[in-house]
Amino acid sequence: MSQSAPTPTRVLVAEDEAIIRLDLAEMLREAGYDVVGQAGDGEQAVEMARSLNPDIVIMDVKMPVMDGITAAETIGGERICPVVMLTAFSQRELVERARDAGVMAYVVKPFTAGDVTPALDIALSRWAELKTLEAEVADLGDRLETRKAVDRAKGVLMAKLKISEADAFRWIQKTAMDRRMGMREVADAVIAGMENA
């Protein structure tokens, strides 16, 4: 079991090819996830995400009715949960479209459990970061600037301190709380202090 939490992560699987969808659902169950639903097209994925409220959705890019990126944009836009994209293509414009749609991670086919589970972990971690930042920053313009500053500061901390992305975010978050500062102030200080060091 890869999940140490008592309640397993609830996953919605959206893939139009039934064999791949069933294999993926089985792979996730064996890895300790709770597969709460399976969708065969993008529109169904959005409806199921709204009604089932999963912790995360794993979805194919190429889907009938509504493509996976549009569905991901809707799910992310409604702040339901993070989305991990499955794709047989690693085309740059597709990856950029997925990123702009708010996709938190993606996996290239063919994949193994070893490819899928870390992508789910990364997506859940990034989603938690996003929620934390959004709770702190109410204004949309400030929110984007704060996110950019925190992302840059994470990069600086990861490079200088040789720590993971999640540890870098926790460091910024903890420092902000300890010093009663905003996360953006801490991020700006990290960037100013360490990039020049």
Side-chain angles (χ1 to χ4, degrees):
M1 290 271 247
S2 69
Q3 301 300 103
S4 55
T7 54
T9 302
R10 301 170 71 252
V11 186
L12 170 62
V13 175
E15 161 67 65
D16 62 321
E17 292 181 49
I19 299 236
I20 297 173
R21 187 172 66 238
L22 294 169
D23 282 352
L24 181 57
E26 186 56 33
M27 185 188 294
L28 290 167
R29 283 190 189 100
E30 285 172 8
Y33 293 92
D34 178 13
V35 178
V36 294
Q38 296 182 36
D41 66 62
E43 199 172 275
Q44 188 184 23
V46 170
E47 287 167 11
M48 290 178 85
R50 286 175 180 147
S51 65
L52 296 170
N53 204 16
D55 297 316
I56 193 161
V57 174
I58 185 160
M59 177 161 21
D60 193 16
V61 169
K62 298 265 191 241
M63 299 258 274
V65 189
M66 178 191 292
D67 75 88
I69 294 177
T70 304
E73 204 166 18
T74 304
I75 292 166
E78 292 180 16
R79 293 289 178 261
I80 298 170
C81 66
V83 176
V84 172
M85 297 293 332
L86 289 175
T87 177
F89 318 92
S90 52
Q91 297 151 320
R92 188 160 190 80
E93 73 276 4
L94 211 57
V95 172
E96 284 172 5
R97 242 189 96 204
R99 188 196 56 223
D100 293 345
V103 168
M104 297 284 153
Y106 73 101
V107 178
V108 179
K109 296 175 185 175
F111 52 81
T112 64
D115 300 319
V116 175
T117 52
L120 292 176
D121 291 343
I122 287 167
L124 287 163
S125 155
R126 285 185 178 156
W127 184 259
E129 286 179 15
L130 192 63
K131 293 297 235 187
T132 303
L133 289 175
E134 285 177 353
E136 182 176 301
V137 184
D139 179 76
L140 201 59
D142 285 351
R143 193 182 289 177
L144 184 63
E145 291 308 310
T146 298
R147 191 168 144 200
K148 284 181 186 171
V150 169
D151 280 346
R152 267 184 73 196
K154 282 192 305 188
V156 171
L157 289 169
M158 288 161 62
K160 299 278 185 190
L161 305 178
K162 307 280 185 265
I163 58 176
S164 72
E165 185 178 354
D167 287 340
F169 182 80
R170 277 193 291 273
W171 186 93
I172 294 167
Q173 193 177 23
K174 185 180 184 322
T175 304
M177 285 193 290
D178 291 349
R179 298 189 181 175
R180 290 188 169 75
M181 295 167 68
M183 288 176 66
R184 178 150 172 213
E185 291 174 276
V186 174
D188 289 341
V190 166
I191 294 162
M194 286 188 158
E195 277 188 342
N196 305 328

